[in-house]
Amino acid sequence: MSRGRPDKVLFLKYEDLKEDIGTHIKRLAHFLGFPFSEEEERVNKTRKRPCEFKNLMHFRKCEVGDWV
């Protein structure tokens, strides 16, 4: 199905997102029909990371294999 209709299926791997999240988020936005504008990309490059969550009991480590 994905080869016959590549505009309907997008494969993302967690490992790829960890390696280069910016590129893959752009791919996802474009796939969904909402690509980032130049202004949005410029603003996103200057923003700092959101605050870190303190309650680690409810969140994964965001590392490959942390489910083990």
Side-chain angles (χ1 to χ4, degrees):
M1 178 171 170
S2 64
R3 290 183 185 173
R5 299 177 72 187
D7 59 323
K8 299 292 181 190
V9 178
L10 176 67
F11 291 99
L12 293 173
K13 293 189 305 186
Y14 180 75
E15 292 83 358
D16 294 339
L17 288 169
K18 272 295 271 190
E19 187 175 305
D20 185 9
I21 194 164
T23 298
H24 294 291
I25 293 297
K26 288 178 191 177
R27 281 183 58 217
L28 177 61
H30 180 75
F31 177 78
L32 294 173
F34 297 98
F36 293 110
S37 68
E38 289 181 26
E39 175 65 23
E40 289 170 322
E41 287 194 43
R42 187 170 44 255
V43 169
N44 285 332
K45 287 180 183 176
T46 61
R47 279 195 171 167
K48 294 182 180 179
R49 285 183 136 181
C51 63
E52 298 294 325
F53 292 103
K54 301 295 181 197
N55 191 348
L56 299 177
M57 289 178 30
H58 302 290
F59 298 97
R60 292 176 57 179
K61 297 176 192 174
C62 297
E63 296 177 357
V64 176
D66 73 340
W67 61 272
V68 177

